[in-house]
Amino acid sequence: MILLTPGPSPIHPRVQQALGKPMRGHMDPETLATNRRIREVLKVLFDPGEGALVAAMPGSASLGMEAGLNNLADQDEAVLLLVNGTFGERMVEIAQAYRHDYTVLRCEPGQPLDPELVKKALSQRKYKLVTLVHGETSTGVLNPAQEIADLATEHGALFMLDAVTTGTMMPLSMQQIGVDYAFTGSQKCLSAPPGLAPFALSKRGREHLGKARGWYSDLSRVAVYWEQEGYFCTSPVSLHFALEEALNMALEEGLENRQKRAETMYAAVLGALEDIGFRAYAAEGARLPTVLVVRPPEGLNEADIRKGLYSKGVSVAGGIGPTAGQVLRLGLMGESARVEHYQVFFRALGEVLGKSGLEKAFLERAGLIPA
């Protein structure tokens, strides 16, 4: 099965091999040494600055999201939640669960958040925390993180960035952008197994630790394990071994090269799909290069296309939230952004739709054969 969903993404043989290392205890010297190496690479990939907490929480990226909201704002401190898709709405659900004093600024799905609307909201009230989903997986939109971070800084608010579909696949300097907390998921751009949520918390963000109302999502407890090498909980050790290898591979390739690979693949895949009537869901100029969301041609049902592809060994995703029942969502994160995988995709799609030449058209657009 070729896995081309927007997470999990395919696992490289090197990562698969690391996953199969002999089991060790979570307090074993080998495991703790692995954790130290993971932290050093995360510092490079997130660039959070001196004094930051960097670690990988034992859980999905949703735990990373919950931890940020839980640790960076108390109940009586105002939070501005910026929403233009399913994962922005998830932040709203978490804020409701923790009974935060929150305001929601929504934008039309498929469109990026408007910094001018954010500026207006910040001028009307003092906020402790501003949250943004950088790459909205449900719609394929890339939001303007830099502009919004600048506004949050100008108004004295902490800035939290969901980097689940952008982190480690494109340059992300928390220091340069002005991010206080960023998180991702091991199964996304890193192409490691699901189960860990790498994150970085700035020195400024750390000043607010110790007030969390939860236990498992209390980042001060996470810091005990990752920095002091004390006991917190039983971490998924095998996932640590796999994550380290995936991080090393990202570092070896370089974030600029990874971004270029995703953008090149995105353009080739979208171009070949547009030739046969598919249309991008996200607005032009705000498209997320790691997740391509497309509407099928008129008269074709996305569920039928997905089922047909699956029967031929290709797994893609349908829509969720605002895009449910309307689109296909294709992963271009980490190992999924490879020509050989999308050759199989277009070969299978041609069989499903009864169209010839799709694989050749894709390869032409990818610049691998003459047009």
Side-chain angles (χ1 to χ4, degrees):
M1 181 64 65
I2 301 294
L3 189 61
L4 296 179
T5 63
S9 51
I11 296 176
H12 191 278
R14 280 175 55 181
V15 177
Q16 190 72 54
Q17 184 177 8
L19 182 65
K21 284 183 178 180
M23 178 56 65
R24 293 289 184 269
H26 53 291
M27 302 298 292
D28 186 276
E30 183 178 345
T31 302
L32 296 178
T34 298
N35 293 349
R36 290 193 291 271
R37 293 192 296 269
I38 287 172
R39 289 179 60 218
E40 291 308 308
V41 180
L42 288 176
K43 287 177 184 178
V44 175
L45 298 180
F46 279 119
D47 188 29
E50 291 296 322
L53 169 61
V54 291
M57 296 189 75
S60 74
S62 294
L63 178 61
M65 179 184 287
E66 180 167 328
L69 285 162
N70 182 27
N71 284 266
L72 295 179
D74 294 333
Q75 270 184 311
D76 59 346
E77 294 173 325
V79 178
L80 179 62
L81 307 171
L82 308 179
V83 177
N84 61 343
T86 297
F87 293 93
E89 295 291 355
R90 183 166 295 180
M91 292 208 193
V92 177
E93 293 175 10
I94 293 170
Q96 288 174 340
Y98 281 95
R99 297 177 180 167
H100 280 305
D101 178 10
Y102 66 90
T103 300
V104 182
L105 176 59
R106 286 188 174 87
C107 175
E108 188 71 21
Q111 298 294 325
L113 268 301
D114 185 349
E116 286 301 315
L117 296 178
V118 177
K119 182 177 182 180
K120 181 178 179 182
L122 288 171
S123 69
Q124 294 173 340
R125 188 181 184 191
K126 180 70 174 176
Y127 288 97
K128 171 67 174 299
L129 177 66
V130 176
T131 72
L132 176 70
V133 177
H134 194 193
E136 179 52 72
T137 317
S138 63
T139 60
V141 169
L142 182 66
N143 282 309
Q146 183 66 72
E147 293 90 333
I148 293 171
D150 288 344
L151 291 168
T153 300
E154 181 183 334
H155 288 82
L158 296 171
F159 183 55
M160 168 177 160
L161 187 68
D162 174 333
V164 170
T165 53
T166 56
T168 75
M169 199 67 187
M170 58 180 67
L172 173 64
S173 170
M174 291 173 59
Q175 289 192 87
Q176 289 182 15
I177 296 174
V179 179
D180 292 291
Y181 178 73
F183 65 94
T184 187
S186 54
Q187 81 282 12
K188 294 286 189 170
C189 296
L190 285 168
S191 292
L196 290 171
F199 74 89
L201 177 68
S202 72
K203 182 179 180 181
R204 184 170 79 133
R206 291 193 74 153
E207 296 171 2
H208 302 274
L209 294 187
K211 302 177 183 178
R213 280 171 283 151
W215 188 90
Y216 196 68
S217 63
D218 183 345
L219 295 181
S220 63
R221 297 182 187 276
V222 176
V224 167
Y225 178 60
W226 282 85
E227 291 186 335
Q228 302 171 32
E229 299 185 349
Y231 176 66
F232 166 49
C233 69
T234 304
S235 284
V237 173
S238 295
L239 298 185
H240 289 219
F241 296 153
L243 176 63
E244 181 188 11
E245 191 62 29
L247 287 168
N248 288 338
M249 291 183 66
L251 206 58
E252 288 167 14
E253 184 178 7
L255 298 189
E256 292 84 0
N257 292 332
R258 288 167 70 81
Q259 180 175 3
K260 183 177 180 181
R261 174 160 61 87
E263 290 173 345
T264 299
M265 285 293 297
Y266 187 104
V269 174
L270 177 58
L273 288 173
E274 285 179 330
D275 287 344
I276 55 173
F278 285 83
R279 294 172 293 128
Y281 185 89
E284 192 170 356
R287 291 172 182 168
L288 174 63
T290 55
V291 179
L292 173 56
V293 180
V294 289
R295 300 180 188 270
E298 290 294 328
L300 295 180
N301 180 277
E302 59 85 20
D304 291 339
I305 297 173
R306 284 191 292 112
K307 289 175 184 175
L309 288 170
Y310 194 85
S311 72
K312 298 182 182 301
V314 178
S315 179
V316 302
I320 53 174
T323 59
Q326 303 176 48
V327 301
L328 299 178
R329 293 184 304 133
L330 309 176
L332 291 160
M333 296 175 289
E335 289 305 301
S336 59
R338 300 289 184 188
V339 169
E340 56 268 30
H341 295 326
Y342 275 93
Q343 280 186 261
V344 177
F345 167 82
F346 278 105
R347 195 180 310 141
L349 184 64
E351 294 172 3
V352 170
L353 300 182
K355 293 182 178 291
S356 61
L358 298 191
E359 181 183 355
K360 180 175 181 290
F362 162 67
L363 291 173
E364 288 174 353
R365 287 188 169 274
L368 296 176
I369 60 175

